[in-house]
Every structure is written in structure tokens, then in C-alpha cells.
Amino acid sequence: MKFLQVDTIEKAREKLLNAGQSLVATEKIALAEAYGRVLSQDVFADENLPLFRRSTVDGYAVVAKDTGAAGEALPTFLKIVGAVEMGQPAQMAIKSGECVEMPTGGMLPEGADAVAMVEFCEVFGADEVAIYKSVGTGGGVVQIGDDMKAGQLLVSKGKELTPQDIGALAVAGVEMVEVFAPLKVAFISTGDELITPHHAPLEIGKIRETNGITLSALAAKHGYHVAHTAVVQDDEDKIKEAVLQAMETCQIVAVSGGSSQGKKDMTADILDELSDGGVFTHGIAIKPGKPTILGFDKGTKTLMVGLPGHPISAMAVFELLFGWLIRKITHQPEPFAIPAALTANVPASEGKLTFYPCKLTLENNQYTATPIYSKSGLIAALTVADGYFLINRDNEGLKSGEAVMVHLF
Amino acid sequence: MKFLQVDTIEKAREKLLNAGQSLVATEKIALAEAYGRVLSQDVFADENLPLFRRSTVDGYAVVAKDTGAAGEALPTFLKIVGAVEMGQPAQMAIKSGECVEMPTGGMLPEGADAVAMVEFCEVFGADEVAIYKSVGTGGGVVQIGDDMKAGQLLVSKGKELTPQDIGALAVAGVEMVEVFAPLKVAFISTGDELITPHHAPLEIGKIRETNGITLSALAAKHGYHVAHTAVVQDDEDKIKEAVLQAMETCQIVAVSGGSSQGKKDMTADILDELSDGGVFTHGIAIKPGKPTILGFDKGTKTLMVGLPGHPISAMAVFELLFGWLIRKITHQPEPFAIPAALTANVPASEGKLTFYPCKLTLENNQYTATPIYSKSGLIAALTVADGYFLINRDNEGLKSGEAVMVHLF
């Protein structure tokens, strides 16, 4: 067995980011298609909005100080000199003693500085209104630029666009946005024991291939575009052919399978041989997920990845490395995690970062996290997991009741 | 002004669910397309998996008790009687004193009940191996049915499928799943003041239409399919025509706009007139979002909705009513919320459920929530909101430092 240096997670991430930086690309898309996409440049407002002083209530545009003494017993009487139409400029102007009928959303006429709510107004005759409640300057009015000011940063680079971001950009008149283009990923599953669903029923000695479909879902969650999947036998030439084919279209080529030492060595050798620059990480101090291989082909700018064969291990590695990578190269913050108290003692692996799936339970507005143990290679137990927590390599384990941060799946 | 009964949120939800129940539909889709979709029926395993006893390590399949005395100083010697091939049935059987070479993932031969790890084995000559560490019964082995047992519930109805759910279903040989079909929604924005992006630049008195694009993103977040959007002027006949057209293809028709009382009344009248069964909710005791109208047309089975014109109000109503509705009718649990401590006092509206957008900040593994205030009709301030919290109608407000549960946007 070859003696191979195992990287810490920090070291492996540093190398991965170094190589992954060069893969970033952006594209321009319609704002209407941009929900959930990540902005690749800051967007600024280029005008003051609203563009005009807008009423927030139905009522009468007034000179606020005219209403200073208005009360239920002694209203202020004002002369109605016109009515503002929705969507039209207010053509008139008012002076002290006058008012104009206003719809919610209408434009304030010149001279007015407040809107008295219709609920506190009573019309007398053809052109007089009694105001029963005083209104302060600016009352019932949104001022020019109250929503956004020309030059103001509206949404930052690295923001995954929410509905309200899209709303604010639409208000500002933005029709197209520049976002990060999804990186193209290939998943190649290897193994003589693998059968694909259309080869069912299962025979003794075989297992159904699952890494391709599972990792594709996980990759989609992180915004990757899975452009290619393949299942190949444990044959060096066939694996090489599959990797070379995937390198033609994808920026990340991940080969999974190979939990036995011979297969791991073969995968590492193939990825090393096919990449100009070669394999830079031969293992990572994480559990599960130690037998992970990372390399980079400078020629085609392709990240070359060997993932463990066990589905949970492969998922943990993808989550911890490629979930992280995409956030880094697209300037996204780390997602929110949920503070929770452990319901059981959990041992950790000396010298390794440990990844623990867990189930969350809410009681009295506090969460508890129940660790889920699953034997190597099994996945059904994971269907009840809501997320995972991590134990640092310098920690010997955690006690029941201790606080963890749970990252949601 | 008509006197209209205002529903509590609970009452409005009860009526909405009553009508909304009848809209549920399901569809069968490929497992590979099912990430993020919601199962509409329980899925059970129909066989024991693994189907055979599988090695979790590279090494030698042994009779465990043979190795009971093995140690570094005094190994146990066993005769190698064969080698198991990956993906092939183990054709041989062993008896005490014998062993078989095993790859990780290989099938255990009859007679063997453990696998000794290769790291603790040394081969002598052609067919003998020294075992330097004892292994217990079942060591290095995944038993038949350890992952899943025939008849076991794998994933429940109402589960939004995660990558690991998809993995477990793939292991079980599931190729198609039955999921809830997305409900089709139409958003009709009304207002003489509205201009659509392709009519830019903005004129005095006008505002850009944003509810359609903002609510479409929010609806997509909740798994709705937005099949139709339209912007129409404040004209009764035009609005009726737009609603009738949307009713032909959509199960939820939402008309937004109309913050002035006259327009609200007109929207309510139109929805009432066009629905067999009529409007059942004329307002909800929530802030923002009071001027919300709900009705149901029994003929076409269409939910008829009048949303407030202000974008934040419309979003709050959609989130609190239709985010909730889709979870109820598809049997989904409520999503995880984040416990946080308020950074400021917040007033509440007497008698109304209050919806507060807020920003989350993480410090020492604890979150604080900073309420975001935004004047009626403005949206840019909301771009920094991470989620929202609610204050019950019987609560007069919350003090700085009090705990809230923050629902993520």
C-alpha cells in the first residue's frame, strides 16, 4: 500500500478553491427567470423612487398646518379644488385653505404636504370637506426616493435572489441580471457490482447504482448543473474513456465507487494520468469521506474528483467540499444553521472532522438534535435526517445536552 | 362604506383549506426528476436489502471464533480456499480453519460470519494467511436486510424528497414515484398607474408593476406553477375578462392591486359575481394584509383571491395563506424556523396577527433578529430581510431580548 499524505479539510478546501476559482462564469438572464440564482455583480438603483410624492391612503391632500386645530368637536373646513387621477400627474396646486381629493397611490399636488384619511373627513355640499383629525407634515405620504435613491446599492453580488429582491429590482426597472452560470458536473459510478434500474430485478452479488442519482440531486441543491452521468465497469480503459468523454463537456468530473484499496489506487492513478497538473489531494481527514481524491487538469480546466463509493460518504464529501466551493466562488454567505441541543453522547474520530446526520425535534421553541448512526454503505436510515452537525478534529466527542449547529439538508 | 366582517387568520385558513382540499392532484414522475417534489403516497421497501451478506472491508472472510486468540505476537493461521469476485455470487463455502479473500462490497461465502481486515493480515506462501487481530461475529459485515427490510416504510407521504430519500428509493429499485402535481396559479395585477418593464422609462404618476414577478417567485418557492400573469387597467370589464380567462387554465386566480377603497370593493364584487359560491372572506385580521378577499367557484373549482396592492402586503398574505395551504393539502410538516432574540422593541397591532420581516445575525452560535420597518408600498428595505416572525393578535408587542421564531424567506 502506498503511503499517502492525508489533508485536513482546511488544506483540501484551500487547494480546491485555488483550482476552482478559474471555473467561474457568468450569464445574463431575464429578471423573471432569476429567482434562486446568485447575482454576479452589485446592482444599484439609477433613479430616485418613487419618482413623485405618493399618497398611502384614500383622502384629501392638504397643507398639514391647516389641520393643526382639527378635532372631532371642531373640524377644519377646506375647499376642494380638484381630484387627482390614479396614474396621472397632479396638474393642480393647492394653497392654504384648499385641498384635493386623493386615491391611495396617487401623486400629491404642489403645495400639499400631507394627506388626511377619508375616514376622518366629511364632504359638505359641492366643494367643501370637514377634516376631523389633524395630520402632521408628511402624514399619509411616501416621499420621492423613500423606496430607493439614485446610486443606492440595491442587491449585492453573491446574493441568492429572493422574491423581494426580484421585487425591488423590478421596481428599479431592472429587466436583465448578471448571475453566476451553473458549473457543469459529471458523475461516473464505477463497479462490477452495480446494476442500473433498467436491469432490475436484483441478482445475488449485485447492488443497485445510487450514487449517480443521489449526487445529482445534491448537486442540483447547490446550483450545479449535472450534465452527464455514467455507470461503468471496473475496467481501467473503460473508466478512462468515460472520464475523457465527461471532460469534454464538464468542469467537474467526479468518479465514485472503489471502496477497496485496489480500486481507490486505480481511480487515483487514472485521474492523475488524465490531468495535466495531476492529483493534489490523496485523502482528507474527515469521517466519513477519507478516501477522497482531488486533482485539476490545467489544459481543459477540469476539476478531477474521486469520491468514496458509499453513498453517505460520497454525499458528505460533496456537501463539505463542493457545497462550500460553490458558495466561495460565487461570494455567497454560509447558509443559516439551527442551534440545537444533543439528545445523546456522540463519539468523534481522533484527528478527523466528523460529519453526523441528525434529526431535529422542536419543543418549546428549542430544537434538539438526535444523531443518526448508520453502518457503512447503508442509506435508508438517512431518510429521517433533517441535517447534519460537525465535530472538529481536536474534539474527542460531545456529551448529551451540548449545543451543536445543525446544517439543513 | 360597506360593513364587512374581518376573519381571524385561523378562520380564513379553515375556509381556505375547506375549498383548497378539492384542488389536490397527483402525478407519476421518474425518481431522477423527483428532487424537491412532495410524495403523495407512502413508499415501502419490497425486499430485504442488501440481498446478501456484504463485506464492508478488504480482507478475508473467516469463521469469527477461529480468530478468538489471534494477536500481534501469536497470529492465527488460516488456509485461503478461494477469492470472492465483486458483483459475483460467492460460489464457495468455508469451514473452520479456512478463509476466502474478500473485496469491500463482496458477498460473504457460506460458513463465514466475519471479515478480518487486510491491514491485520499477512499472506504466507500460496494459500496461507496470518491473522494478527481477532474479529467478532458479524465484524466487517452488513447483514441481509440491514439497510431495509421487506415491508418497511421507506419514505412517507408528504415528504419533500431530499437527495438521501432519492438514494434510498433508488437502492430499493423504485424508478417512478407518485408526487403532488403543482397547482396552477394566475396573478392579475390591476391599476391605471402600473407600467410594465417594456414600457419604460417611468413617467410621473406611474409605478412599475412588480406584484406579478414578485409573487411568481414566491409561488415557485412554495411549489406552485405560475401558469398565467396579466396586467390590466382599472376597468371592471377588462378585469372580469382577465379573471375569466385565467379561470380556464388555473386553479388559483389572484387579483392584486386596489389599495383604495373603491377598487377593493370593485375587486370583491367582481370575484363574487364570477364565482358560484362567492366570496367567503372579506378581510383578515393580519398586518399587513387586511384587505384580502377569498372566494371559491364551485363550477370550475377555482380559488378566487383578492390580494392587497402593496408588494409587501401581498407577499405576507401569500406566504401566510398559500404557503400554509400547500403544506396542508400535501401533508407537509411546517418548515424549520430559527430561534432568535430580538434586538429592539416591536409594537404589535391590537387584534391583528402582525408579520415582521427581520434580519438575522449569528454571534456565538446564537441568532439575533433585527426587525425591518418599511413604509407601506416600499420594497427595497426588504432586500436585507432573511425571514419574518409573527406576533399574535392578543400580544401588545415584544421587548428587545425576547425570543421569536424566524421563518426563513
Side-chain angles (χ1 to χ4, degrees):
Chain A
M1 204 189 317
K2 288 186 265 182
F3 176 79
L4 295 168
Q5 176 81 35
V6 166
D7 283 341
T8 61
I9 182 89
E10 293 81 7
K11 189 75 195 163
R13 282 178 168 179
E14 187 192 320
K15 293 175 181 175
L16 186 66
L17 181 57
N18 231 345
Q21 290 281 24
S22 64
L23 305 182
V24 180
T26 63
E27 58 185 344
K28 263 206 143 108
I29 61 170
L31 182 63
E33 309 297 323
Y35 171 60
R37 298 294 298 271
V38 178
L39 273 192
S40 60
Q41 53 180 208
D42 293 339
V43 180
F44 298 87
D46 57 14
E47 58 194 339
N48 293 316
L49 290 175
L51 210 51
F52 55 91
R53 295 184 304 154
R54 199 162 76 197
S55 177
T56 63
V57 295
D58 290 350
Y60 293 86
V62 299
V63 178
K65 69 174 162 37
D66 281 357
T67 71
E72 269 188 52
L74 199 68
T76 297
F77 288 87
L78 297 173
K79 190 179 175 200
I80 305 173
V81 297
V84 166
E85 297 276 319
M86 269 307 270
Q88 299 300 325
Q91 307 283 15
M92 69 293 283
I94 67 165
K95 52 183 192 294
S96 182
E98 296 178 343
C99 69
V100 160
E101 203 187 327
M102 291 295 304
T104 305
M107 175 180 173
L108 250 72
E110 226 174 288
D113 60 6
V115 181
M117 284 176 76
V118 72
E119 286 83 346
F120 304 107
C121 300
E122 190 178 3
V123 177
F124 286 92
D127 63 355
E128 205 173 31
V129 64
I131 314 275
Y132 290 96
K133 195 178 177 186
S134 78
V135 54
T137 303
V141 180
V142 172
Q143 305 292 343
I144 292 167
D146 260 1
D147 200 1
M148 55 189 78
K149 293 187 169 47
Q152 174 187 329
L153 176 63
L154 269 184
V155 190
S156 304
K157 176 177 179 173
K159 181 78 185 284
E160 184 181 328
L161 293 171
T162 61
Q164 61 269 33
D165 291 334
I166 291 187
L169 294 171
V171 166
V174 172
E175 288 183 72
M176 304 288 289
V177 283
E178 199 182 284
V179 295
F180 288 103
L183 295 189
K184 292 199 199 92
V185 185
F187 290 113
I188 299 168
S189 304
T190 65
D192 291 337
E193 76 280 22
L194 299 179
I195 63 159
T196 50
H198 55 278
H199 291 121
L202 204 49
E203 293 156 38
I204 290 288
K206 307 284 189 193
I207 60 167
R208 295 192 181 93
E209 200 288 307
T210 55
N211 275 346
I213 195 170
T214 311
L215 293 170
S216 291
L218 188 58
K221 172 192 151 187
H222 288 296
Y224 288 99
H225 172 58
V226 181
H228 185 87
T229 58
V231 180
V232 294
Q233 285 180 289
D234 277 329
D235 175 286
E236 194 172 333
D237 289 337
K238 285 184 181 158
I239 297 175
K240 274 186 194 171
E241 196 186 310
V243 170
L244 283 170
Q245 198 195 329
M247 287 171 76
E248 285 173 20
T249 52
C250 293
Q251 295 155 291
I252 299 177
V253 176
V255 178
S256 80
S259 299
S260 72
Q261 195 56 48
K263 280 195 57 178
K264 280 183 241 174
D265 292 344
M266 182 166 80
T267 304
D269 289 345
I270 290 172
L271 297 182
D272 201 49
E273 184 189 326
L274 298 184
S275 59
D276 170 15
V279 166
F280 53 71
T281 290
H282 290 268
I284 306 179
I286 52 179
K287 185 180 176 176
K290 186 178 164 225
T292 297
I293 295 152
L294 299 172
F296 187 63
D297 177 51
K298 289 179 201 161
T300 59
K301 288 195 176 166
T302 309
L303 272 170
M304 315 285 277
V305 188
L307 291 173
H310 290 152
I312 299 174
S313 309
M315 284 182 69
V317 170
F318 196 87
E319 183 77 23
L320 295 178
L321 289 181
F322 293 92
W324 176 88
L325 176 68
I326 201 71
R327 291 193 295 273
K328 279 292 151 191
I329 64 179
T330 61
H331 304 266
Q332 293 180 71
E334 290 297 295
F336 294 110
I338 293 193
L342 282 174
T343 61
N345 297 338
V346 285
S349 298
E350 209 187 312
K352 289 183 189 166
L353 179 78
T354 311
F355 172 97
Y356 265 101
C358 64
K359 182 168 173 52
L360 285 170
T361 308
L362 183 64
E363 258 175 70
N364 301 323
N365 287 352
Q366 302 242 309
Y367 286 98
T368 57
T370 304
I372 292 166
Y373 301 94
S374 176
K375 262 196 204 173
S376 169
L378 308 184
I379 191 167
L382 263 277
T383 58
V384 298
D386 297 308
Y388 64 92
F389 60 90
L390 299 171
I391 306 182
N392 283 331
R393 65 174 168 279
D394 51 0
N395 197 317
E396 287 175 9
L398 297 172
K399 293 223 160 59
S400 179
E402 276 197 75
V404 290
M405 292 302 282
V406 176
H407 307 273
L408 295 175
F409 276 132
Chain B
M1 207 190 313
K2 288 187 265 183
F3 176 78
L4 294 168
Q5 176 81 34
V6 167
D7 284 340
T8 60
I9 181 90
E10 293 81 7
K11 190 74 195 163
R13 282 178 168 179
E14 187 193 319
K15 294 176 182 176
L16 186 66
L17 181 57
N18 229 345
Q21 290 281 24
S22 64
L23 304 183
V24 179
T26 63
E27 58 184 342
K28 263 205 143 107
I29 60 169
L31 182 63
E33 308 297 325
Y35 171 61
R37 298 295 298 270
V38 179
L39 272 191
S40 60
Q41 55 180 206
D42 292 338
V43 180
F44 298 87
D46 58 12
E47 58 194 339
N48 293 315
L49 289 176
L51 211 51
F52 55 91
R53 296 184 304 152
R54 198 162 76 197
S55 177
T56 63
V57 294
D58 290 351
Y60 293 86
V62 299
V63 177
K65 68 173 161 38
D66 282 357
T67 71
E72 269 188 52
L74 198 68
T76 297
F77 287 87
L78 298 173
K79 190 179 174 201
I80 306 172
V81 297
V84 166
E85 299 275 320
M86 268 309 270
Q88 299 299 323
Q91 306 284 14
M92 69 293 284
I94 66 165
K95 53 183 192 294
S96 183
E98 296 177 343
C99 70
V100 159
E101 202 187 327
M102 290 295 305
T104 304
M107 175 180 172
L108 251 72
E110 226 173 290
D113 60 6
V115 181
M117 284 175 76
V118 71
E119 286 82 347
F120 304 107
C121 299
E122 191 178 2
V123 177
F124 286 94
D127 64 354
E128 206 173 31
V129 64
I131 313 275
Y132 290 97
K133 195 178 177 187
S134 78
V135 54
T137 302
V141 179
V142 172
Q143 305 292 343
I144 292 168
D146 260 0
D147 200 1
M148 55 189 76
K149 293 188 170 46
Q152 174 188 329
L153 176 62
L154 269 184
V155 191
S156 304
K157 176 178 178 171
K159 181 79 187 283
E160 184 181 328
L161 293 172
T162 61
Q164 61 267 34
D165 291 334
I166 291 189
L169 294 170
V171 166
V174 172
E175 288 182 73
M176 303 288 290
V177 284
E178 199 182 285
V179 294
F180 288 103
L183 297 188
K184 293 199 199 90
V185 185
F187 290 113
I188 298 169
S189 303
T190 65
D192 291 337
E193 77 280 23
L194 299 180
I195 63 159
T196 49
H198 55 278
H199 291 121
L202 204 49
E203 293 156 38
I204 289 289
K206 307 284 189 194
I207 60 168
R208 296 194 181 91
E209 200 289 305
T210 55
N211 275 345
I213 194 169
T214 310
L215 293 170
S216 291
L218 188 57
K221 173 192 151 187
H222 288 296
Y224 289 99
H225 171 60
V226 181
H228 185 88
T229 58
V231 179
V232 294
Q233 283 179 290
D234 278 329
D235 174 286
E236 194 172 332
D237 289 337
K238 285 185 181 157
I239 297 174
K240 275 187 191 170
E241 195 188 311
V243 170
L244 283 169
Q245 198 196 330
M247 287 171 75
E248 285 174 20
T249 52
C250 293
Q251 297 156 290
I252 300 178
V253 176
V255 178
S256 80
S259 299
S260 72
Q261 194 56 48
K263 280 194 58 177
K264 280 184 242 174
D265 292 345
M266 183 166 80
T267 304
D269 290 346
I270 290 173
L271 296 182
D272 201 50
E273 184 190 325
L274 298 184
S275 59
D276 170 16
V279 166
F280 52 72
T281 290
H282 289 269
I284 306 179
I286 52 179
K287 185 181 177 175
K290 186 178 166 225
T292 296
I293 295 153
L294 299 173
F296 188 62
D297 177 51
K298 290 180 201 160
T300 58
K301 288 195 176 168
T302 310
L303 272 170
M304 315 285 278
V305 188
L307 292 174
H310 290 153
I312 298 173
S313 308
M315 284 182 69
V317 170
F318 196 88
E319 183 77 23
L320 294 178
L321 289 181
F322 293 92
W324 176 88
L325 176 69
I326 200 71
R327 291 193 295 273
K328 280 292 150 189
I329 64 179
T330 61
H331 304 264
Q332 292 180 72
E334 290 296 296
F336 294 110
I338 293 193
L342 282 174
T343 61
N345 297 337
V346 285
S349 298
E350 208 187 313
K352 289 184 189 166
L353 178 78
T354 311
F355 172 97
Y356 265 102
C358 64
K359 183 171 174 50
L360 286 170
T361 309
L362 183 65
E363 259 175 70
N364 302 321
N365 288 350
Q366 303 242 309
Y367 286 98
T368 57
T370 303
I372 292 167
Y373 301 94
S374 177
K375 261 197 207 175
S376 170
L378 308 185
I379 191 168
L382 263 277
T383 58
V384 297
D386 297 308
Y388 64 91
F389 60 90
L390 299 171
I391 304 181
N392 283 331
R393 64 174 168 280
D394 51 1
N395 197 316
E396 288 176 8
L398 297 173
K399 292 221 161 59
S400 179
E402 277 198 75
V404 290
M405 293 300 283
V406 177
H407 307 273
L408 294 175
F409 276 130

